Amino acid sequence: MRLSVMPGTTMAHEEQQQRRDSLDDASELASLLPDSPEGPRHRGHRDNLSISSIASSVSSIFAPRPRKNASVTNILYFITFITSYAGGFFELPFTRLIEDIICHEYYDVSSSTQPIDESLCKEDAIQKHLAYLLAVLSILYAIVAFVAAFPWGIAADKVGRKPVVAVAMSGLLTGALIELAVIYWSDVFPITAIWASAAGQFIGGGNGVLIAVVLSMIADTTSEEDRAIAFLRTHVASLCGNLLSPSLAGFVMERAGPWVPPFIGIGLFFLGGVALFFLPETRTRKDAIQESPKSIIPSSDSMMSQIVGQFRDSLSILTSLSLILLVLTALCSMPVMDSTLTFLNQFVSKRYQIKIAQTGYVQSTYGVASIIMTLFILPWISNILIDPTTPARWRAKNEQYRDLFLARWSYAVLFIGALTLGLSPTLGGFVFGLLLMAIGSGFGSLSKSLMSIYVDPAHRSRLFSLVGMVEVLGSVFSQPLLAGLFSVGLKLHGGWIGLPYLGLATLIALSGFLMLFVRIPRASNITSLSGDHEEA
């Protein structure tokens, strides 16, 4: 999920700065986890941020917590997990149900209740139409989420955290219900009406705002020393929900059909709503008293000026060519992510002639491998590379050189994995390619780790806000790119069906090529950059 830490404009200057620093410190660690299906993460505050910070923190995930405020954070973990987990029960069945509607139209079967064997729905024309519908839906979701995120973030600071969480969850459910209604009454609505479900993100701002406000509530109720671990637990909850639910959704679909999982997802959403009743408001009364009644809802002009001002402020920190190159590599994040989510389900089902329900197991395999790689294997390798007992030939000079080395190799493995996905004629080979992709899944975290050394701690939030915008831009062209190449591959027939992943491999290669020109600055240069920003 996209994480955007919204500064609290209602606090006094000193209190506001203290909270911002605390959020930066916590979100810095959380951002080292692999990007989840909804987008970028923010970091900041540590002088020498690196992937090894995970290693020292993973052992603390299950550390005892003070009883004070523990119930609040536990509820927030639960809401994060249950909302993420519920999403998996919509994705697979919706893909299958939409495919079935297109299939009925293709074979001119008037009765939507008359079943058509799924194997007959893998015709090229049907799959092209399905890819087009999902690509446009993805674009609309990205645009609406981008527009709605900022005002709802302001509302969370000015009106309260809990109401915005409730509204955001309602918006997510509304979007799912709109899509479900269009599919159910497909004889009344055209299938393109599913695009209207993106409007649900206007209600509460969608996943991005939901997670951002959850992180703000955790920051409100935890001490500075506990905050980083709390953020890490939140991200683990989100990752587990998003990456593990497809297998169970597929299991249910195989035995009960595609209509049952969405209702399970709705039930999970309501379960999260019940948990919300036990969640207290964490925005302090002092913040509320300092709020001017006239400024509860900012004017459109003032809101736009804030957005433009923050964007210009973020651009001003791009003073290094290496930093610019690292920021550009963020364009690769969303295409890699989308290629392992919804698009993977359609591609695997078409190429290897298996049911969409069974693709959930393939998707969860990648999810489990990514979690293991990022939480355990990557920190282990990271520590070995700077261990004094490691032979000098393989030992990195310092943490920054080690992260650059790992980032370059991650792109290399990712490239080989994408090539394998595009060229593999068998499902077993495709799964092997996914495992290679999982090995390289830390590329985004490592790139962001390197970005932090070019900017002083006080300006890292701005940097990662800019990175978030670049990733949103990547999400706009990601699905159309994959869908377009998929349509071309279907038209060319044969092995060309793997063209989307070959195109992805090309994009990864370009990003990896940019990494070759990244140079680690000297310590004096870093100090100089920090001083320049402080003077600004």
Side-chain angles (χ1 to χ4, degrees):
M1 298 184 177
R2 178 165 58 256
L3 304 177
S4 19
V5 180
M6 307 295 178
T9 57
T10 64
M11 293 178 287
H13 177 74
E14 295 82 1
E15 188 177 4
Q16 181 180 359
Q17 184 62 42
Q18 181 180 6
R19 178 167 297 180
R20 184 184 294 111
D21 290 343
S22 300
L23 281 170
D24 289 346
D25 186 51
S27 58
E28 163 192 309
L29 174 59
S31 68
L32 291 173
L33 291 171
D35 294 339
S36 66
E38 289 75 16
R41 294 168 176 81
H42 293 188
R43 304 185 288 192
H45 198 66
R46 221 169 256 137
D47 288 338
N48 292 314
L49 176 63
S50 68
I51 199 70
S52 62
S53 58
I54 298 179
S56 61
S57 301
V58 169
S59 60
S60 304
I61 291 180
F62 303 104
R65 298 188 302 276
R67 295 181 63 87
K68 183 179 180 181
N69 295 323
S71 60
V72 176
T73 54
N74 286 334
I75 293 173
L76 290 170
Y77 301 149
F78 178 78
I79 291 175
T80 301
F81 172 78
I82 209 70
T83 304
S84 303
Y85 199 71
F89 286 89
F90 291 104
E91 184 179 303
L92 279 179
F94 278 178
T95 301
R96 172 63 193 125
L97 289 169
I98 294 171
E99 180 189 65
D100 185 64
I101 293 173
I102 301 172
C103 195
H104 276 78
E105 294 177 353
Y106 180 79
Y107 290 108
D108 197 22
V109 178
S110 57
S111 175
S112 59
T113 58
Q114 183 177 346
I116 296 180
D117 191 283
E118 185 176 345
S119 62
L120 299 176
C121 298
K122 305 307 175 184
E123 292 292 328
D124 292 354
I126 297 173
Q127 294 303 310
K128 288 177 184 177
H129 193 186
L130 176 61
Y132 167 72
L133 287 172
L134 296 179
V136 174
L137 183 61
S138 175
I139 294 173
L140 293 175
Y141 265 85
I143 293 174
V144 173
F146 183 78
V147 172
F150 193 76
W152 281 108
I154 292 177
D157 279 336
K158 296 180 179 293
V159 178
R161 324 283 196 215
K162 182 177 178 179
V164 173
V165 170
V167 173
M169 292 180 65
S170 301
L172 291 173
L173 184 58
T174 299
L177 290 176
I178 291 174
E179 197 166 346
L180 195 62
V182 171
I183 293 172
Y184 185 78
W185 286 292
S186 58
D187 54 339
V188 177
F189 300 104
I191 189 59
T192 52
I194 62 171
W195 295 339
S197 63
Q201 302 241 39
F202 280 120
I203 306 174
N207 280 317
V209 170
L210 177 61
I211 291 300
V213 177
V214 166
L215 295 179
S216 296
M217 297 183 81
I218 289 176
D220 291 338
T221 56
T222 55
S223 61
E224 291 188 22
E225 59 269 22
D226 295 331
R227 198 158 296 156
I229 300 303
F231 270 64
L232 182 59
R233 287 175 177 144
T234 305
H235 282 271
V236 170
S238 176
L239 282 173
C240 290
N242 280 307
L243 298 177
L244 301 181
S245 57
S247 58
L248 182 57
F251 178 82
V252 175
M253 281 180 65
E254 285 189 295
R255 284 154 181 79
W259 282 104
V260 176
F263 288 99
I264 295 177
I266 292 172
L268 291 172
F269 262 111
F270 277 109
L271 185 60
V274 171
L276 192 60
F277 281 105
F278 298 94
L279 186 67
E281 175 57 61
T282 62
R283 178 173 176 265
T284 63
R285 177 174 295 184
K286 180 178 179 181
D287 294 339
I289 292 175
Q290 292 174 346
E291 182 64 53
S292 170
K294 294 183 179 180
S295 63
I296 294 295
I297 304 298
S299 66
S300 58
D301 290 340
S302 63
M303 186 181 300
M304 185 58 65
S305 63
Q306 289 183 56
I307 296 174
V308 173
Q310 289 187 359
F311 180 69
R312 288 178 177 175
D313 201 24
S314 297
L315 287 179
S316 67
I317 63 178
L318 299 180
T319 58
S320 167
L321 176 61
S322 292
L323 178 57
I324 294 173
L325 295 177
L326 287 168
V327 171
L328 288 176
T329 62
L331 287 170
C332 187
S333 296
M334 290 308 298
V336 170
M337 190 181 303
D338 287 339
S339 71
T340 58
L341 295 175
T342 305
F343 179 77
L344 180 146
N345 301 328
Q346 181 188 0
F347 180 87
V348 170
S349 178
K350 165 63 179 174
R351 183 169 194 176
Y352 304 110
Q353 297 297 307
I354 65 174
K355 294 182 177 181
I356 289 179
Q358 296 173 332
T359 65
Y361 305 119
V362 179
Q363 193 177 48
S364 288
T365 299
Y366 170 78
V368 172
S370 296
I371 292 174
I372 293 174
M373 179 66 192
T374 306
L375 291 182
F376 302 103
I377 298 178
L378 188 56
W380 176 67
I381 296 175
S382 179
N383 286 334
I384 288 178
L385 288 176
I386 58 172
D387 192 316
T389 61
T390 301
R393 181 181 178 183
W394 299 106
R395 189 170 62 245
K397 294 180 181 179
N398 54 40
E399 293 184 346
Q400 289 77 36
Y401 282 95
R402 177 209 48 206
D403 287 351
L404 180 59
F405 172 82
L406 288 174
R408 288 171 174 170
W409 274 102
S410 293
Y411 275 103
V413 175
L414 207 64
F415 170 74
I416 298 173
L419 276 182
T420 304
L421 296 180
L423 299 175
S424 176
T426 65
L427 181 59
F430 188 88
V431 172
F432 176 72
L434 280 179
L435 294 178
L436 290 177
M437 295 281 284
I439 292 174
S441 62
F443 75 101
S445 299
L446 290 162
S447 296
K448 293 174 184 176
S449 173
L450 289 166
M451 293 178 199
S452 67
I453 67 177
Y454 297 90
V455 179
D456 63 281
H459 293 81
R460 285 177 185 160
S461 287
R462 302 180 201 176
L463 170 64
F464 290 105
S465 294
L466 180 61
V467 173
M469 296 178 70
V470 173
E471 289 181 329
V472 168
L473 179 61
S475 69
V476 172
F477 75 79
S478 173
Q479 279 283 6
L481 174 67
L482 294 171
L485 292 176
F486 186 55
S487 297
V488 173
L490 290 174
K491 188 178 298 184
L492 296 175
H493 301 292
W496 287 106
I497 192 176
L499 192 59
Y501 287 100
L502 298 180
L504 177 66
T506 302
L507 184 60
I508 293 170
L510 290 174
S511 297
F513 180 72
L514 294 179
M515 291 295 298
L516 296 177
F517 296 94
V518 173
R519 297 292 180 264
I520 301 298
R522 296 179 180 177
S524 58
N525 291 341
I526 298 176
T527 304
S528 176
L529 286 171
S530 302
D532 291 342
H533 288 307
E534 287 168 1
E535 289 174 5

